[in-house]
Amino acid sequence: NAFHLNRFDFISVREQDGIEICRDSFGVDAVCTIDPVFLCKESIYRKLVEEAKAEEKEKFIFAYILSPTLEKREMIEKISEEQKLKVILVLDAQDNHEKNKEIINMPEALRENLELEDWLYYVLNSQLVLTDSYHGVCFSIIFRKNFICIANIVRGLSRFQTLLGLTGLEENMFFNPIDVLESKKYKEKIDYDMVWNKLEIKIIQ
């Protein structure tokens, strides 16, 4: 509550609208800072990948989906077919996992019971990341991967918008998976020199 928040000397949030919430609801000043995962050097994450048990011999698309829908499955399958790349699929391991498996219905692509190192392996070694996860986006950026983000309103849309606005990657987020297919945005290479020039300014602040 406001009493305890006011006891802090400094408060930071990941989302721009978090500043307004802190001010209007709790009467405290906050600043918007970069997500902590960006404060760790990429080399440290790569070191973790070396401990992964996962191993894929073929090139692949990594689909990390927290809120499955039939439309997301259609998007994944059509991009896979067009790009002639197999899919590695990971779902939310904590929330409604069995139900999510039924909805997405891609058993041949699904990987389960992963360690963190395996999850990082799949991001790092993918040709393309398709995700509705905020941290799926974060680590796509950290590993400089091409990615498409499906806006996930139930998972905190504001943090997606803040990060993508900061990095100039707003056009890589779609609200409708079918629009991804029409846009062909997944074929475009991301200019990560531009992205990291913007990020590094925020990281050192």
Side-chain angles (χ1 to χ4, degrees), residues 131-132 137 147-153 156-162 164-165 169-176 179-180 183 185:
T131 189
D132 61 0
V137 171
F147 73 90
I148 291 295
C149 168
I150 304 302
N152 198 330
I153 297 173
L157 180 60
S158 178
R159 57 183 176 163
F160 289 87
Q161 293 172 320
T162 299
L164 296 174
L169 294 172
E170 301 99 322
E171 292 185 359
N172 285 70
M173 183 171 74
F174 294 80
F175 284 84
N176 186 340
D179 291 341
V180 177
S183 76
K185 187 71 178 176

Side-chain angles (χ1 to χ4, degrees), residues 105-122:
N105 192 25
M106 297 176 67
E108 72 290 342
L110 185 63
R111 301 292 186 274
E112 300 182 83
N113 303 315
L114 300 184
E115 299 293 340
L116 170 63
E117 294 84 353
D118 300 314
W119 185 87
L120 290 172
Y121 169 93
Y122 286 126

Side-chain angles (χ1 to χ4, degrees), residues 20 22 30 85 107 120 140 142 184:
E20 298 176 13
C22 285
L85 292 168
L120 290 172
S140 296
I142 288 169
K184 305 294 184 182

Side-chain angles (χ1 to χ4, degrees), residues 3-139:
F3 170 77
H4 292 293
L5 285 172
N6 274 286
R7 297 174 65 191
F8 286 95
D9 295 323
F10 184 85
I11 296 175
S12 63
V13 293
R14 290 180 299 190
E15 304 89 351
Q16 285 291 342
D17 62 2
I19 296 174
E20 298 176 13
I21 293 171
C22 285
R23 183 189 64 235
D24 299 340
S25 299
F26 302 106
V28 296
D29 292 327
V31 297
C32 185
T33 58
I34 198 72
D35 190 281
V37 297
F38 290 103
L39 302 181
C40 187
K41 291 182 178 179
E42 180 189 357
S43 60
I44 295 175
Y45 295 124
R46 285 179 173 269
K47 196 74 175 173
L48 287 172
V49 172
E50 293 176 9
E51 305 298 320
K53 296 182 178 66
E55 184 178 2
E56 300 292 337
K57 292 181 169 51
E58 299 176 55
K59 293 181 178 181
F60 61 90
I61 292 168
F62 182 47
Y64 181 45
I65 304 297
L66 301 184
S67 303
T69 65
L70 297 179
E71 291 79 13
K72 289 175 186 176
R73 184 180 73 188
E74 180 182 355
M75 174 196 72
I76 294 166
E77 290 178 336
K78 287 191 174 180
I79 293 176
S80 169
E81 181 180 354
E82 179 190 300
Q83 297 295 299
K84 296 180 172 55
L85 292 168
K86 75 172 186 178
V87 175
I88 301 297
L89 170 68
V90 173
L91 303 174
D92 189 342
Q94 297 178 335
D95 185 32
N96 297 322
H97 185 62
E98 292 303 317
K99 182 66 174 177
N100 288 343
K101 285 166 61 174
E102 291 178 17
I103 295 170
I104 204 77
N105 192 25
M106 297 176 67
E108 72 290 342
L110 185 63
R111 301 292 186 274
E112 300 182 83
N113 303 315
L114 300 184
E115 299 293 340
L116 170 63
E117 294 84 353
D118 300 314
W119 185 87
L120 290 172
Y121 169 93
Y122 286 126
V123 179
L124 177 62
N125 290 286
S126 65
Q127 302 300 304
L128 171 68
V129 177
L130 303 173
T131 189
D132 61 0
S133 156
Y134 172 74
H135 283 105
V137 171
C138 289
F139 280 93

Side-chain angles (χ1 to χ4, degrees), residues 26 36 49 52 77 141 167 182 202:
F26 302 106
V49 172
E77 290 178 336
I141 293 172
T167 53
E182 296 176 358
K202 197 71 174 176

Side-chain angles (χ1 to χ4, degrees), residues 144 166 191-203:
R144 295 166 170 79
L166 168 66
D191 180 356
Y192 271 112
D193 288 338
M194 176 273 293
V195 169
W196 276 94
N197 283 340
K198 295 179 178 181
L199 268 176
E200 285 169 355
I201 294 172
K202 197 71 174 176
I203 289 170

